[in-house]
Structures are given as structure tokens and as C-alpha cells.
């Protein structure tokens, strides 16, 4: 706990420093896991900055926070952002936060954006983390129609992750959580 506090202090100091923006952005991303009371304000400031790189880092930190209640609407609002980097980070954060509201849009992008490999793969992986029983057939259909061995491997990996996600969700249901 003492070491964790030292690390958090160091990351907050870097975020508030005059170091390069990239270093400060990576420090913000790293502290996204922290439950320290000042962290949400740091993330919100970056998100509200108007700077796409800071917004992307804020989305990354939001995904790490495991706080869908606090950040879910902000993440959802960025899913169709015109900047690819921001959009990819929003998709990734939607998966990390398991935002079920993102499912339909992610499915649409998986069906329509194969030309943009990064959006396609990020959407597929996020969907595997969000889960849902009705998604298994969708993933299996993608697997059947995979165009390359690389796609097949990635889809199989995502399907395996989806099955794990669904099994964990069933476990929580059985425990009445």
C-alpha cells in the first residue's frame, strides 16, 4: 500500500508537471487504475481539454477505472468521434467498462468497417469483453467467413474471450450479483 501511494504521488506529480505532453498523457493513462480522490478530476480535465491526444488519454484512463457509472456516457459520446485515435480509445474503453449500450454500434462497425482494420479489430475485441449470449452466433459467423488466417486467429481469440466473459457473467448471476 505504501509503494502504491508513492507511485500514485509520482504519477500525479508528472501529470501536473511541465514534462512533455506525451509523458504527462501516459502518466494519466497509468493512473487510471487508481481510486485516489483526485484522479477523476485529472481525467475530466484531460477529457474536457479539446485536445484530441488528451481526450484519447482520458478515455484510456476511463477504461482502466472500472467505473462505468461515472464514465460510461462520456465514453459512449466519443464512439463516433471523427479522430481515429479518439474513436479507437473510446471503443477500447467501452469494452473495458463493458458498456452494453455500445453493442449495436460495435456490431455495425464490425460488419461495415473491415477496410479500417484498427476500428474493426478494436470493435471486435471490445464486443468480446462486453459479452452477451446472442453474440456467439455472430462471432461464429465471422469465424466461418474469415478472409485470412490472421483474421481467423484473431476472431477465434475474440470468440474465446467472449465465451469466458459470458461464463463469468453466468457465474455472477448464479451468485445473485
Amino acid at each position: 500500500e505504501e509503494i502504491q501511494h508513492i507511485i500514485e504521488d509520482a504519477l500525479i506529480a508528472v501529470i501536473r508537471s511541465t514534462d512533455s505532453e506525451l509523458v504527462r498523457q501516459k502518466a494519466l493513462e497509468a493512473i487510471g487504475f487508481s481510486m485516489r480522490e483526485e484522479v477523476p478530476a485529472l481525467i475530466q480535465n484531460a477529457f474536457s481539454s479539446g485536445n484530441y491526444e488528451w481526450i484519447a488519454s482520458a478515455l484510456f484512463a476511463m477504461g482502466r477505472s472500472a467505473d462505468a457509472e461515472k464514465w460510461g456516457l462520456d465514453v459512449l459520446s466519443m464512439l463516433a468521434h471523427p479522430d481515429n485515435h479518439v474513436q479507437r480509445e473510446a471503443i477500447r474503453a467501452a469494452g473495458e467498462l463493458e458498456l452494453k449500450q455500445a453493442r449495436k454500434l460495435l456490431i455495425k462497425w464490425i460488419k461495415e468497417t473491415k477496410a479500417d482494420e484498427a476500428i474493426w479489430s478494436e470493435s471486435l475485441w471490445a464486443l468480446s469483453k462486453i459479452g452477451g449470449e446472442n453474440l456467439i452466433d455472430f462471432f461464429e459467423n465471422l469465424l466461418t467467413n474469415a478472409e485470412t488466417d490472421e483474421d481467423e486467429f484473431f476472431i477465434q481469440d475474440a470468440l474465446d474471450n467472449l465465451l469466458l466473459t459470458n461464463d463469468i457473467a453466468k457465474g455472477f448471476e448464479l451468485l445473485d450479483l
Side-chain angles (χ1 to χ4, degrees), residues 68-100:
E69 188 174 317
K70 176 156 188 60
W71 301 117
L73 291 177
D74 290 327
V75 170
L76 292 170
S77 75
M78 294 287 122
L79 286 174
H81 196 277
D83 181 78
N84 260 1
H85 185 210
V86 171
Q87 184 182 25
R88 282 191 320 272
E89 289 304 333
I91 292 167
R92 191 200 54 73
E96 292 295 321
L97 295 174
E98 300 174 7
L99 299 178
K100 292 174 182 20

Side-chain angles (χ1 to χ4, degrees), residues 24-45:
R24 292 184 295 134
Q25 289 161 359
K26 295 304 175 187
L28 179 69
E29 293 172 12
I31 204 162
F33 288 117
S34 174
M35 300 302 288
R36 290 268 294 261
E37 65 182 46
E38 59 265 60
V39 171
L42 294 169
I43 295 171
Q44 186 61 54
N45 286 341

Side-chain angles (χ1 to χ4, degrees), residues 21-176:
E21 278 199 8
L22 181 60
V23 170
R24 292 184 295 134
Q25 289 161 359
K26 295 304 175 187
L28 179 69
E29 293 172 12
I31 204 162
F33 288 117
S34 174
M35 300 302 288
R36 290 268 294 261
E37 65 182 46
E38 59 265 60
V39 171
L42 294 169
I43 295 171
Q44 186 61 54
N45 286 341
F47 185 73
S48 301
S49 71
N51 178 301
Y52 289 176
E53 293 305 315
W54 278 106
I55 293 169
S57 289
L59 289 163
F60 193 98
M62 288 174 187
R64 285 187 162 175
S65 75
D67 193 348
E69 188 174 317
K70 176 156 188 60
W71 301 117
L73 291 177
D74 290 327
V75 170
L76 292 170
S77 75
M78 294 287 122
L79 286 174
H81 196 277
D83 181 78
N84 260 1
H85 185 210
V86 171
Q87 184 182 25
R88 282 191 320 272
E89 289 304 333
I91 292 167
R92 191 200 54 73
E96 292 295 321
L97 295 174
E98 300 174 7
L99 299 178
K100 292 174 182 20
Q101 306 94 314
R103 276 189 196 136
K104 286 182 183 176
L105 189 55
L106 295 175
I107 290 169
K108 177 183 177 198
W109 286 335
I110 291 165
K111 289 178 178 177
E112 296 176 1
T113 63
K114 187 63 173 121
D116 187 333
E117 186 73 28
I119 297 297
W120 180 84
S121 60
E122 203 67 60
S123 296
L124 188 63
W125 193 255
L127 199 55
S128 80
K129 295 188 94 169
I130 294 168
E133 287 298 320
N134 57 340
L135 293 176
I136 295 171
D137 290 340
F138 177 70
F139 275 62
E140 287 175 345
N141 186 45
L142 289 173
L143 190 58
T144 301
N145 295 312
E147 296 175 6
T148 67
D149 289 344
E150 185 178 277
D151 285 351
E152 185 176 335
F153 178 77
F154 184 77
I155 296 166
Q156 182 62 58
D157 201 24
L159 176 58
D160 291 343
N161 193 62
L162 172 65
L163 294 171
L164 177 63
T165 298
N166 286 349
D167 284 347
I168 291 170
K170 281 182 192 173
F172 283 137
E173 288 172 12
L174 289 174
L175 294 172
D176 203 21

